């Protein structure tokens, strides 16, 4: 056969074989014809290059939408009309979205951040699964538990449902992370742009929180678990708390300061022992006390009892946990906040000196102040009828602290009672946002009042009425305390000092409730009332001049003064007492 014929036959056979091979093993171009056009377009869009900042912006949006189902569900189940919870959803979306953007701006560098983003997405997806399945939240305790879980425990938690839930969240962003190309940039240009993004995101968070404080403040106060549903912010915060907090943890060692405490000269020849009541107020603002110039008559009963009221007093903190231990500390605000160890308190010193000490609590505990002295919850041991009249569930009006008070004092050691009694009453006071619960019908003189803890549902006037009614009830409670002390005058030299732990925002600058960082908190969260009353016996015993005290009502005082003032009133001598911080010291022995 001629060569050209052989070549033609071979070429024909090769062509037929190639055709058969093509039909058996389709190439890439053949496969593409089976992919929907829209899917190809999506893939092409995902492959488009973008800057690292744009990448984290898209990730923030995705976290907000796909990884916060628990948060949105919790907000929807709070109840109320859609206009209420949708407003809350919008407010939380601003905080979570831009908060996440601020967090991710710290990772907006190069394509080498992709593994970090992937891990954060995976952790957020797993966390959401457990929040949805087991109704848990990602607080520091849960983060610590997760970190300490071993392989056996982890295996028990795995399953098809978890895999499905995680895949639902992870599939789309994983596809995108595999396809997207992060544009490179010089270090300096990357640095200032990331810094600008961080500042802008934080500014939106701060501005949004301030603008929507009326909605957010009571929401977060009444539903504290919501803050641990913010995904992935809660995970990062809680994990960081597990690792970082132990680095700054105090030693746990208790430093004694009660050594050398003794009763002063007034006890040597006393006819009657002192009985002094320290009332720790809650959330009371100085400028809402009529005694201090407030236009509304919120304190008529105290005014009728000739009390002394100081108008320029400031708190140690803006929340109970910060203020109450600081009030009873010898260290003062600066020393207390910078301490490395724990110290004994004023109550330890008074008890070591030989006095009978009792703490009666109508709040959520004494924050460690009363743990080494006799203490009792106000509602304990009450007659059911009395408790029913004064309490709603676990919350009681402050009047409950005056019930059974004689029996409580009588139960203290007789040898200590014979020397003197220091009694501390810890109020519920004006604790918000349910201010309407802090007063009884006799105190509700300002109407109509806000009758919900959702402050956004009330007008500003109704909110102020409810708060002022709570102050009026404190006025009534303090007046009743003074009246009870008067009944004790045949047996004791009596007196009372009232001081609130912190103030409250009622809409000023768009802020509500309290608890802002002290340096940034408005004046109304730090400016607190201080009121005192003494019977003639205690005034004579302490050689206190009422004229001098009245002339000193505008003196600048703080919680730093309380420790030394109470020791001075009770005439307890101790090395930690500083007469220059005793608010009454210069009025001892003064004429009048």
């Amino acid at each position: 056969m001629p060569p050209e014929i052989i070549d033609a036959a071979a070429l024909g056979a090769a062509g037929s074989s190639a055709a058969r091979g093509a039909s058996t093993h389709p190439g890439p171009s053949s496969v593409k014809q089976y992919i929907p056009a829209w899917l190809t377009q999506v893939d092409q869009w995902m492959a488009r290059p973008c800057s690292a900042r744009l990448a984290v912006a898209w990730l923030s949006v995705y976290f907000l939408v796909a990884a916060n189902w628990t948060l949105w569900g919790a907000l929807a189940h709070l109840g109320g009309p859609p206009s209420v919870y949708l407003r809350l959803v919008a407010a939380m979306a601003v905080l979570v979205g831009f908060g996440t953007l601020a967090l991710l701006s710290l990772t907006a560098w190069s394509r080498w951040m992709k593994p970090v983003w992937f891990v954060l997405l995976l952790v957020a997806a797993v966390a959401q699964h457990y929040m949805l399945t087991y109704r848990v939240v990602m607080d520091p305790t849960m983060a610590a538990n997760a970190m300490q879980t071993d392989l056996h425990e982890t295996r028990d938690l795995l399953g098809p449902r978890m895999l499905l839930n995680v895949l639902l969240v992870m599939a789309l962003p994983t596809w995108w992370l595999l396809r997207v190309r992060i544009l490179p940039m010089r270090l300096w240009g990357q640095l200032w742009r990331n810094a600008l993004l961080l500042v802008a995101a934080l500014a939106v968070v701060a501005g949004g929180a301030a603008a929507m404080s009326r909605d957010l403040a009571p929401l977060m106060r009444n539903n504290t678990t919501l803050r641990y549903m913010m995904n992935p912010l809660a995970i990062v915060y809680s994990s960081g708390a597990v690792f970082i907090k132990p680095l700054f943890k105090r030693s746990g060692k208790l430093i004694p300061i009660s050594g050398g405490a003794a009763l002063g000269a007034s006890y040597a020849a006393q006819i009657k022992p002192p009985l002094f009541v320290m009332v720790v107020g809650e959330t009371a603002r100085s400028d809402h006390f009529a005694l201090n110039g407030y236009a509304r008559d919120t304190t008529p009963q105290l005014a009728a009892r000739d009390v002394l009221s100081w108008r320029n007093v400031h708190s140690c903190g803006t929340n109970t946990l910060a203020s109450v231990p600081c009030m009873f500390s010898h260290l003062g605000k600066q020393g207390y906040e910078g301490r490395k160890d724990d110290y004994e308190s004023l109550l330890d010193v008074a008890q070591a000196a030989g006095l009978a000490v009792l703490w009666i609590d109508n709040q959520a505990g004494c924050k460690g102040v009363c743990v080494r002295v006799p203490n009792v919850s106000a509602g304990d041991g009450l007659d059911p009828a009395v408790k029913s009249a004064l309490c709603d569930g676990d919350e009681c009006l402050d009047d409950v602290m005056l019930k059974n008070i004689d029996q409580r004092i009588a139960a203290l050691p007789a040898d200590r009672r014979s020397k003197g009694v220091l009694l501390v009453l810890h109020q519920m006071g004006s604790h918000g946002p349910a201010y309407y619960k802090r007063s009884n019908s006799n105190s509700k003189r300002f109407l109509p009042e806000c009758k919900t803890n959702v402050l956004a549902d009330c007008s500003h006037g109704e909110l102020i009425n409810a708060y002022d009614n709570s102050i009026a009830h404190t006025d009534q409670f303090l007046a009743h305390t003074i009246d009870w002390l008067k009944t004790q005058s045949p047996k004791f030299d009596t007196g009372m000092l009232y001081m609130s732990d912190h103030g409250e925002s009622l809409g000023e600058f768009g802020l509500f409730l309290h608890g802002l960082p002290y340096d940034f908190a408005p004046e109304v969260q730090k400016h607190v009332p201080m009121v005192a009353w003494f019977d003639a016996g205690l005034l004579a015993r302490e050689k206190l001049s009422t004229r001098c005290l009245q002339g000193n009502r505008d003196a600048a005082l703080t919680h730093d003064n309380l420790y030394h003032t109470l020791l001075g009133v009770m005439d307890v001598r101790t090395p930690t007492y500083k007469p220059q911080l005793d608010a009454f010291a210069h009025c001892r022995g003064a004429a009048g």
Side-chain angles (χ1 to χ4, degrees), residues 17 282 332 364 416 466:
S17 175
E282 169 66 39
R416 290 182 174 275

Side-chain angles (χ1 to χ4, degrees), residues 207-263:
M212 295 175 287
S213 174
R214 190 182 186 91
D215 293 310
L216 292 175
L219 173 70
M220 302 306 288
R221 177 60 54 83
N222 293 324
N223 304 275
T224 55
T225 57
L226 290 178
R227 67 190 68 176
Y228 297 114
M229 296 179 186
M230 300 178 184
N231 206 2
L233 296 175
I235 303 168
V236 175
Y237 166 78
S238 296
S239 301
V242 171
F243 286 109
I244 296 173
K245 277 191 175 181
L247 301 178
F248 299 93
K249 188 177 181 181
R250 293 188 297 277
S251 66
K253 181 171 59 177
L254 180 67
I255 307 298
I257 62 169
S258 54
L263 300 178

Side-chain angles (χ1 to χ4, degrees), residues 539-568:
L539 286 172
R541 178 191 183 100
E542 292 298 313
K543 299 181 176 61
L544 283 171
S545 164
T546 54
R547 181 180 300 175
C548 175
L549 292 172
Q550 288 170 346
N552 199 42
R553 61 185 306 213
D554 288 317
L557 302 174
T558 70
H559 281 168
D560 290 5
N561 298 101
L562 180 65
Y563 177 90
H564 310 279
T565 302
L566 278 181
L567 288 180

Side-chain angles (χ1 to χ4, degrees), residues 495-516:
M496 180 198 78
L497 179 65
Y498 163 83
M499 182 184 281
S500 184
D501 60 352
H502 55 77
E504 186 85 329
S505 287
L506 297 170
E508 299 87 357
F509 310 107
L511 300 175
F512 294 86
L513 302 180
H514 55 266
L516 285 179

Side-chain angles (χ1 to χ4, degrees), residues 11 19 67 77 219 274 314 323 332 354 387 455 535 556 573 591:
L11 287 172
H77 282 88
L219 173 70
H314 287 80
S323 282
K387 196 167 185 178
L455 302 185
D535 75 354
R573 297 293 172 248

Side-chain angles (χ1 to χ4, degrees), residues 157-390:
L157 295 172
L158 302 178
R161 183 176 179 180
M162 175 183 174
L163 180 62
L164 177 61
N165 286 344
V166 171
L167 284 176
L168 285 174
V169 175
M170 290 295 297
L172 189 62
T174 299
W175 181 9
W176 177 69
L177 286 174
L178 290 173
R179 296 288 288 142
V180 69
R181 184 168 70 88
I182 304 300
L183 295 173
M185 181 175 287
R186 292 177 180 269
L187 177 62
W188 173 245
Q190 193 88 320
L191 182 63
W192 75 260
R193 286 176 172 84
N194 287 5
L196 184 62
L197 178 62
L198 173 63
V199 171
L202 291 177
V204 173
V205 171
M212 295 175 287
S213 174
R214 190 182 186 91
D215 293 310
L216 292 175
L219 173 70
M220 302 306 288
R221 177 60 54 83
N222 293 324
N223 304 275
T224 55
T225 57
L226 290 178
R227 67 190 68 176
Y228 297 114
M229 296 179 186
M230 300 178 184
N231 206 2
L233 296 175
I235 303 168
V236 175
Y237 166 78
S238 296
S239 301
V242 171
F243 286 109
I244 296 173
K245 277 191 175 181
L247 301 178
F248 299 93
K249 188 177 181 181
R250 293 188 297 277
S251 66
K253 181 171 59 177
L254 180 67
I255 307 298
I257 62 169
S258 54
L263 300 178
S266 64
Y267 290 86
Q270 71 178 9
I271 299 173
K272 295 183 292 184
L275 167 58
F276 198 81
V277 176
M278 172 65 210
V279 181
V280 180
E282 169 66 39
T283 321
R285 287 173 50 153
S286 179
D287 63 349
H288 277 245
F289 270 51
L291 290 171
N292 298 334
Y294 187 44
R296 283 180 157 181
D297 193 9
T298 53
T299 53
Q301 297 198 45
L302 285 174
R305 286 159 179 79
D306 297 322
V307 299
L308 299 158
S309 182
W310 283 261
R311 297 179 292 201
N312 188 18
V313 184
H314 287 80
S315 65
C316 182
T318 61
N319 61 76
T320 303
L321 182 60
S323 282
V324 170
C326 184
M327 291 171 74
F328 290 86
S329 171
H330 72 293
L331 297 170
K333 173 178 168 60
Q334 185 174 358
Y336 177 79
E337 292 175 348
R339 72 199 188 284
K340 298 291 185 181
D341 303 301
D342 291 321
Y343 290 79
E344 289 182 328
S345 75
L346 165 70
L347 304 187
D348 296 295
V349 174
Q351 184 168 257
L355 297 175
V357 180
L358 176 63
W359 180 292
I360 301 179
D361 210 302
N362 194 36
Q363 257 273 12
C366 65
K367 314 307 177 190
V369 175
C370 67
V371 293
R372 293 172 296 277
V373 302
N375 60 87
V376 64
S377 177
D380 290 349
L382 288 183
D383 181 270
V386 173
K387 196 167 185 178
S388 176
L390 295 176

Side-chain angles (χ1 to χ4, degrees), residues 78-81 83-85 87-88 213-219 222-223 432-436 450-459 462-463 512:
L78 288 177
S83 60
V84 173
Y85 73 75
R87 188 169 64 240
L88 295 177
S213 174
R214 190 182 186 91
D215 293 310
L216 292 175
L219 173 70
N222 293 324
N223 304 275
Y435 306 114
Y436 69 100
C450 181
K451 292 187 175 182
T452 175
N453 53 21
V454 182
L455 302 185
D457 289 350
C458 301
S459 68
E462 291 171 337
L463 172 62
F512 294 86

